[in-house]
Structure formats: structure tokens, C-alpha cells
Amino acid sequence: MGIMPRYYFDLKDGSGTAVDEEGIDLRDVDAAQSEAAQSLGAMARDAAITTKGRGTDQMEIEVRDEDGPVMTVRFYFEISRKKVS
């Protein structure tokens, strides 16, 4: 088996961008997509838990390899409360 490609996952949300300096070796672009989707799901869960009242948020992960951008995985959610606790 050959050398696995290294993918980098730059996280972007309302507070800015966190550039991935280390990356992770994965077998292919499908594995990179799965990793990005799982990470984005965890970010969305954390944001939904910490959002108080109303709010919208968009977050994304830009996946790149040594040659440049590979894909962007984006998630958008909105909380619209009808009652206040």
C-alpha cells in the first residue's frame, strides 16, 4: 500500500478561522469527507448547546491537501424560540 495523503481541516465559524497546521493522513477523499462531516457535526452540537435564546450560525470546514483546496463542508442552523425560560 502506498503513502496515504495528508488532509488539512480549516475550521471557519462566526468567530473566525482556525487553520489546521498538522493535518491527518487518510486513505482517500471519501475518508476526508467523512472526517469533515463528523467534525462539523460535533461543532454544530456544541454551538446549539451553548446558543442562548435566538441565534443563527454557519460553520464550515475547508479540506485541503498539499495541492490546495479539496472540498468545503458547510452547516447552517437557526434557533428560533417561541418561549423564554
Side-chain angles (χ1 to χ4, degrees), residues 5-9 20 23-24 26 28-29 32 63-65 70:
R6 181 165 290 255
Y7 294 94
Y8 301 86
F9 299 84
D20 181 1
I24 184 172
L26 296 167
D28 57 23
V29 71
V63 181
R64 56 187 168 83
D65 63 13
V70 173

Side-chain angles (χ1 to χ4, degrees), residues 2 4 6 23-24 35 41-42 44 52 60 62-63 66 70 74:
M4 291 195 295
R6 181 165 290 255
I24 184 172
E35 180 72 24
K52 303 293 183 201
E60 66 184 47
E62 183 170 303
V63 181
E66 64 277 352
V70 173
R74 186 174 295 118

Side-chain angles (χ1 to χ4, degrees), residues 53-54 78-85:
R54 296 174 179 264
E78 177 178 359
I79 296 174
S80 179
R81 284 190 184 181
K82 306 299 182 205
K83 293 185 177 184
V84 179
S85 55

